[in-house]
């Protein structure tokens, strides 16, 4: 959790408070001065800072630290772009908590740029020397970097809303082999199917609300990004994908080659047909489709076992709170065990339809495992599980308990 310290300061007429996020002290506009009851905090601040997105920034730190380990890279050989930096806290956390990566922090707002320079003065020279702070329109920056022929190893895109306006330029700028792409989307209502027209317009996917909307959202964004990369003969392997109340966060690694790009697009994507007693995966749309269909979606694994295994080792070395570390360890462990199982079951919803009291999730999991099935919790929903048990077996277990 963000720790609010007692130090205060003034920057261009903005009242500041010192905080500690992760292992990094930083200045932000003082929420105690600007927050209004009943209002969404970030929009009340003179410069955008959202404490609710700390976990998002934690995941960026974890992804970059893990990336260094799996690629056996020297931090000083790595260039990382925080494309929409805002206050810049993510970039300075990377420098302070991961290592001497070459960090480019960019924002279109000149005041944000001046604020990042202000914060930079409070870090030691070795961190300041690896921070480059720029004031460009995001796509213009990426296009310029390609003209400069500068190698970019990792790009982090965290906009307010959809990341789609920046994905094409990012993919063309990122290194073609083992580049790291981190995406955040906060237009979760469209991605979970609450607003199908918006999802169709932004992501090219037909969707609607389902009991497993969080996973549909992640798979929608993966499909869209993969489809963009395929144009350039590039494949993207998902490393992890998380859906939380406020955002979706996905990490990819690049794999060059038209053949592998085609294979990912044709073999790992498809449609899901929503039937009365479950779902059916369709590789193509042929013949008569009698039920509602969602797609195209990414249907392959969302979690990469090698990367998650290394991330679990990395977690213990990073200055995260004990609560955050334990939570992420549980989520990583659970999701990797069921990585090959698409979509989850909402136990609470099934119990309601059966007119039964919702059993304890742990008891449902234990009973399914006793019957020989794989079953684990999922971060997508607190009352949901992932299992390879048929829907009928799950219903019988819920009735029994």
């Amino acid at each position: 959790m963000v720790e609010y310290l007692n130090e205060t300061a003034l920057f261009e007429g903005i009242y500041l408070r010192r905080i500690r996020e992760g292992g990094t002290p930083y200045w932000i506009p003082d929420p105690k001065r600007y927050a209004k009851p009943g209002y969404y905090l970030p929009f009340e601040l003179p410069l955008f800072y959202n404490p609710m997105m700390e976990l998002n920034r934690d995941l960026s730190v974890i992804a970059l630290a893990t990336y260094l380990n799996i690629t056996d890279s020297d931090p000083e050989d790595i260039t990382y772009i925080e494309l929409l930096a805002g206050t810049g806290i993510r970039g300075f956390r990377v420098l302070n908590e991961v290592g001497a990566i070459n960090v480019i922090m960019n924002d279109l707002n000149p005041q944000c740029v001046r604020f990042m320079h202000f914060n930079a003065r409070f870090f030691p020279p070795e961190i300041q020397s690896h921070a480059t702070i720029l004031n460009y329109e995001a796509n213009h920056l990426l296009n310029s970097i390609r003209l400069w022929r500068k190698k970019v190893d990792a790009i982090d895109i965290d906009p307010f809303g959809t990341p789609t306006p920046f994905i094409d330029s990012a993919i063309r700028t990122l290194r073609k082999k083992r580049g790291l792409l981190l995406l955040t989307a906060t237009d979760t209502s469209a991605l979970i199917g609450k607003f199908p027209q918006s999802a169709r317009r932004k992501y090219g996917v037909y969707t609607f609300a389902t009991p497993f909307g969080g996973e549909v959202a992640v798979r929608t964004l993966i499909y869209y990004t993969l489809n963009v990369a395929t144009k350039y003969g590039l494949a993207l392997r998902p490393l992890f994908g998380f859906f939380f109340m406020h955002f979706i966060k996905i990490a990819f690694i690049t794999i060059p080659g038209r053949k592998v790009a085609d294979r990912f697009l044709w073999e790992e994507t498809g449609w899901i047909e929503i039937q009365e007693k479950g779902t059916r995966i369709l590789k193509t749309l042929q013949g008569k489709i009698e039920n509602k269909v969602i797609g195209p979606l990414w249907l392959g694994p969302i979690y990469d076992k090698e990367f998650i295994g290394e991330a679990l080792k990395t977690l213990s070395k990073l200055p995260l709170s004990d609560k955050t570390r334990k939570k992420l360890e549980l989520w990583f462990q659970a999701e990797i065990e069921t990585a090959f199982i698409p979509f989850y079951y909402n136990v609470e919803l099934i119990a309601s339809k059966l007119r039964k009291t919702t059993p304890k999730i742990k008891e449902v999991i234990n009973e399914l495992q006793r019957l020989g099935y794989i079953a684990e919790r999922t971060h997508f929903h607190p009352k949901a599980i992932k299992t390879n048990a048929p829907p009928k077996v799950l219903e019988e277990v819920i009735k029994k308990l």
Side-chain angles (χ1 to χ4, degrees):
M1 297 292 292
V2 176
E3 181 184 358
Y4 291 87
L5 307 176
N6 291 325
E7 300 171 76
T8 59
L10 197 64
F11 164 79
E12 295 187 1
I14 299 173
Y15 293 96
L16 306 180
R17 179 165 295 276
R18 191 79 158 156
I19 64 165
R20 181 176 288 105
E21 185 179 290
T24 303
Y26 207 73
W27 292 104
I28 64 164
D30 190 351
K32 293 185 178 180
R33 284 269 187 172
Y34 298 105
K36 297 176 183 177
Y39 287 81
Y40 186 48
L41 175 62
F43 293 133
E44 300 307 306
L45 300 180
L47 294 171
F48 191 91
Y49 170 77
N50 190 350
M52 299 294 290
M53 296 292 272
E54 179 190 12
L55 181 58
N56 185 314
R57 295 183 284 269
D58 289 340
L59 288 169
S60 290
V61 169
I62 293 164
L64 281 159
T66 305
Y67 175 75
L68 289 179
N69 291 338
I70 66 169
T71 57
D72 196 25
S73 300
D74 184 331
E76 295 201 0
D77 293 335
I78 298 296
T79 297
Y80 160 75
I81 298 178
E82 186 186 5
L83 194 61
L84 306 160
T87 61
I89 188 169
R90 187 192 315 259
F92 282 108
R93 280 194 61 186
V94 167
L95 283 166
N96 192 48
E97 297 171 30
V98 178
I101 294 172
N102 298 300
V103 174
I104 298 174
M105 289 172 275
N106 176 71
D107 202 275
L108 184 60
N109 184 337
Q111 192 173 37
C112 285
V113 171
R114 294 194 300 272
F115 187 67
M116 285 186 271
H117 280 293
F118 168 83
N119 263 294
R121 301 202 305 264
F122 294 85
F123 287 93
E126 57 268 25
I127 286 182
Q128 294 185 41
S129 66
H130 285 85
T132 302
I133 300 169
L134 300 176
N135 180 207
Y136 284 88
E137 189 279 326
N139 282 312
H140 178 67
L141 171 65
L142 295 172
N143 293 334
S144 298
I145 285 175
R146 288 202 307 279
L147 292 175
W148 302 338
R149 298 185 181 277
K150 184 175 179 63
K151 178 175 71 88
V152 176
D153 304 275
I155 298 176
D156 203 326
I157 305 175
D158 182 3
F160 181 75
T162 177
T164 56
F166 314 105
I167 289 175
D168 191 293
S169 295
I171 286 171
R172 286 185 290 145
T173 305
L174 199 60
R175 63 185 293 176
K176 306 308 176 191
K177 185 175 182 180
R178 306 194 89 181
L180 179 68
L181 178 62
L182 300 170
L183 292 182
T184 298
T186 58
D187 57 333
T188 54
S189 294
L191 285 161
I192 65 173
K194 187 176 180 180
F195 300 112
Q197 290 180 326
S198 179
R200 175 64 176 161
R201 182 174 65 253
K202 295 175 185 176
Y203 300 100
V205 170
Y206 292 96
T207 188
F208 51 86
T210 67
F212 39 82
E215 189 168 342
V216 168
V218 168
R219 292 183 181 278
T220 294
L221 184 53
I222 292 175
Y223 168 78
Y224 176 89
T225 310
L226 179 69
N227 201 32
V228 172
T230 303
K231 293 190 299 184
Y232 304 107
L234 194 67
L236 296 173
R237 183 185 302 282
L239 301 176
F240 63 69
F242 288 102
F243 175 93
F244 302 106
M245 185 182 299
H246 305 285
F247 68 92
I248 292 164
K249 179 83 167 192
I250 301 176
F252 300 91
I253 198 161
T254 57
I255 305 172
R258 287 176 294 176
K259 289 184 178 179
V260 67
D262 289 344
R263 178 170 62 80
F264 271 45
L265 188 62
W266 293 106
E267 295 182 13
E268 302 284 4
T269 64
W271 305 71
I272 56 170
E273 183 182 11
I274 309 299
Q275 301 175 327
E276 186 177 344
K277 294 186 177 181
T279 62
R280 183 165 70 104
I281 291 177
L282 308 172
K283 297 305 295 179
T284 58
L285 294 181
Q286 294 179 348
K288 187 178 180 182
I289 305 296
E290 296 181 352
N291 296 282
K292 293 183 177 181
V293 171
I294 293 176
L297 299 175
W298 170 259
L299 296 175
I302 297 174
Y303 304 92
D304 181 85
K305 286 191 173 183
E306 178 192 359
F307 191 87
I308 297 300
E310 194 62 43
L312 284 166
K313 297 176 189 175
T314 303
L315 271 172
S316 62
K317 303 173 185 176
L318 294 172
L320 305 176
S321 69
D322 288 341
K323 183 178 179 181
T324 297
R325 185 179 292 105
K326 288 176 182 177
K327 187 184 294 184
L328 288 172
E329 284 174 351
L330 286 172
W331 287 339
F332 279 142
Q333 293 272 18
E335 298 297 356
I336 201 61
E337 292 296 326
T338 57
F340 66 96
I341 300 174
F343 306 108
Y344 56 88
Y345 293 97
N346 186 323
V347 173
E348 186 175 48
L349 185 61
I350 295 171
S352 176
K353 288 180 179 179
L354 295 172
R355 298 187 178 182
K356 295 280 292 183
T357 301
T358 304
K360 292 182 178 179
I361 302 300
K362 184 60 177 176
E363 291 179 357
V364 176
I365 290 172
N366 288 344
E367 181 62 16
L368 288 170
Q369 290 176 344
R370 189 187 69 79
L371 294 171
Y373 296 103
I374 295 170
E376 294 288 348
R377 286 183 179 272
T378 176
H379 84 279
F380 285 109
H381 194 286
K383 297 292 184 179
I385 64 169
K386 281 201 166 190
T387 180
N388 61 348
K392 189 67 176 175
V393 171
L394 178 58
E395 287 183 8
E396 292 300 321
V397 167
I398 292 172
K399 287 179 183 177
K400 175 182 174 182
L401 296 174

